[in-house]
Amino acid sequence: MTTVALGVPTMPSSASIEDRPDVGELVDRFGRVARDLRVSITEKCSLRCTYCMPEDGLPAIPTQNLLTADEIVRLVDIAVHRLGVREVRFTGGEPLMRPDLEQMIAGCAERAPGVPLAMTTNAIGLEHRAHKLVEAGLSRINISLDSIDREHFARLTRRDRLPSVIAGIRAAAEAGLGPLKINAVLMPEMLGGAADLLEWCLNEGVALRFIEEMPLDADHEWARENMVTADRLLAVLGERFTLSEHGRQDPSAPAEEWLVDGGPATVGVIASVTRSFCSDCDRTRLTAEGTVRSCLFSDREIDLRAALRGGADDEELARLWRGAMWNKWAGHGINADGFAPPQRSMGAIGG
Ligand code: SAM
Ligand code: SF4
């Protein structure tokens, strides 16, 4: 199989499953192999970030449609042992909204020992659970924080919860989940505070990565002409810090790193829109309802939950998952004429 140059907008088309090489891993027709599994476990959230959620939250998923902890553990087991997945990350919605998160992580740690189990979270309530999560087997954490100014934070997230996020960040570090990564989405209204946020992260000893906003907001208000680009951010940060290019630490890592004031501290930028890294994408996604999604931007999903509850064995579930990934698109196409955002928003897919 040859790897083609990607990163160009590519029209989605179906590839015949007959052409798929007979291998266990999650290969696609462009030669990529998915080894990084994102599992969304809920649509619920304690915040309402404007770039993600609608003001009233996402429509509730009926309980019977949500994967149970045991079902998630079984699918993670299949992903690791039959499909070559090497890292699992729990996300949402807000994963801490699920009271059975520790049980889920403990189950995955038991069935897939040695596989890093990570979580992306807004950290609200983490101060009370960080130790239990580590005991259950959580090994890494990314925390979202867009502003260190309380008023700004409240405006961006529609909730006045900054103190709780800070307490969660400190509790995570104290529980041994370091080195912590902080994610901040680039919005025009946070640009003025970006250097303050970086300074705060440097003082706390946590690594900050800025993410370009993608057209994945539930309110469909994203507009190319309003988005803050990586270049604009770097210019703003450059007014306070000396930044020197440090490259990507590994080719499939989405963040490009810059040394701050000569290092060793760095700041990362994930330029998902202006410097797309689709050609190196190694992700596969499982939604909270148990569908496989090969790309954030593709609404085509394959239902594993129905098969699982219908009595499919592990190999049948693995076969369905492989088929879903074989058809992965070449790229997200945000920069192409006629691009239309996907129906589901980031919080509904799992970021
Ligand atoms: N609630 C958790 C959190 O905020 O970390 C996990 C779910 S959230 C959907 C996962 C990540 O997606 C967060 O880092 C968030 O900032 C990012 N995200 C959400 N909407 C986005 C968008 N429109 N563009 C880029 N990143 C986005
Ligand atoms: Fe919630 Fe995370 Fe979306 Fe913010 S980005 S609304 S914290 S799911």
Side-chain angles (χ1 to χ4, degrees):
M1 199 165 19
T2 32
T3 307
V4 298
L6 305 175
V8 287
T10 319
M11 290 313 293
S13 66
S14 284
S16 168
I17 198 70
E18 311 294 316
D19 297 334
R20 189 187 177 281
D22 187 17
V23 292
E25 285 89 359
L26 295 170
V27 294
D28 70 32
R29 59 208 153 114
F30 301 102
R32 295 168 296 190
V33 185
R35 300 201 182 279
D36 179 356
L37 168 61
R38 304 277 149 129
V39 187
S40 174
I41 60 174
T42 181
E43 83 297 355
K44 294 193 178 15
C45 190
S46 41
L47 297 180
R48 297 285 185 273
C49 306
T50 49
Y51 49 75
C52 177
M53 287 260 171
E55 186 148 18
D56 297 331
L58 292 165
I61 301 174
T63 310
Q64 70 274 17
N65 292 352
L66 268 184
L67 289 182
T68 64
D70 286 349
E71 288 171 335
I72 290 171
V73 170
R74 179 170 170 208
L75 291 173
V76 166
D77 185 350
I78 292 170
V80 168
H81 293 110
R82 292 176 187 262
L83 302 173
V85 161
R86 292 189 187 151
E87 173 167 356
V88 181
R89 177 172 294 275
F90 298 96
T91 179
E94 175 45 51
L96 291 169
M97 297 297 281
R98 269 192 78 153
D100 56 357
L101 177 61
E102 287 82 353
Q103 179 195 336
M104 200 182 288
I105 289 174
C108 292
E110 192 186 327
R111 299 273 274 273
V115 171
L117 300 175
M119 172 168 78
T120 301
T121 174
N122 64 26
I124 291 175
L126 186 58
E127 61 182 307
H128 308 296
R129 294 172 77 180
H131 279 283
K132 280 183 251 162
L133 287 164
V134 170
E135 267 164 40
L138 187 69
S139 40
R140 292 180 196 164
I141 198 164
N142 287 5
I143 295 176
S144 300
L145 172 62
D146 304 320
S147 175
I148 200 62
D149 177 277
R150 190 162 172 172
E151 234 174 78
H152 260 166
F153 179 94
R155 226 175 302 134
L156 278 166
T157 64
R158 303 181 177 115
R159 298 286 186 274
D160 182 18
R161 304 298 304 275
L162 181 63
S164 177
V165 175
I166 293 176
I169 291 173
R170 292 181 176 154
E174 208 258 317
L177 284 166
L180 296 186
K181 286 186 184 161
I182 304 292
N183 292 340
V185 176
L186 277 170
M187 300 290 284
E189 58 271 43
M190 65 84 75
L191 201 53
D196 291 341
L197 180 61
L198 176 54
E199 195 155 310
W200 185 85
C201 289
L202 295 172
N203 288 337
E204 292 282 321
V206 295
L208 176 62
R209 293 127 36 106
F210 290 94
I211 308 173
E212 282 182 347
E213 187 199 3
M214 293 184 277
L216 289 168
D217 56 312
D219 294 334
H220 294 297
E221 281 180 358
W222 182 93
R224 182 62 196 249
E225 55 282 13
N226 297 338
M227 70 164 280
V228 179
T229 62
D231 287 348
R232 175 124 184 264
L233 166 80
L234 290 167
V236 167
L237 294 181
E239 289 166 14
R240 191 178 308 177
F241 303 97
T242 305
L243 302 177
S244 37
E245 264 189 84
H246 195 45
R248 275 202 166 87
Q249 297 317 290
D250 107 55
S252 66
E256 293 171 71
E257 302 284 340
W258 272 260
L259 289 173
V260 182
D261 292 339
T266 58
V267 61
V269 182
I270 303 182
S272 337
V273 178
T274 60
R275 292 177 221 166
S276 136
F277 37 83
C278 299
S279 58
D280 291 314
C281 179
D282 66 348
R283 295 197 182 150
T284 180
R285 295 171 191 278
L286 194 57
T287 66
E289 300 102 317
T291 58
V292 173
R293 197 163 166 122
S294 58
C295 171
L296 278 172
F297 289 87
S298 162
D299 279 319
R300 193 189 296 154
E301 296 178 1
I302 300 296
D303 186 2
L304 292 189
R305 189 191 73 218
L308 185 151
R309 293 186 184 168
D313 65 15
D314 287 1
E315 190 43 38
E316 173 59 8
L317 292 167
R319 196 186 62 74
L320 287 170
W321 203 326
R322 289 185 196 111
M325 294 307 295
W326 176 243
N327 265 313
K328 180 169 172 150
W329 300 357
H332 56 47
I334 298 174
N335 301 313
D337 289 343
F339 166 79
Q343 285 161 25
R344 290 217 212 205
S345 60
M346 189 68 129
I349 302 165

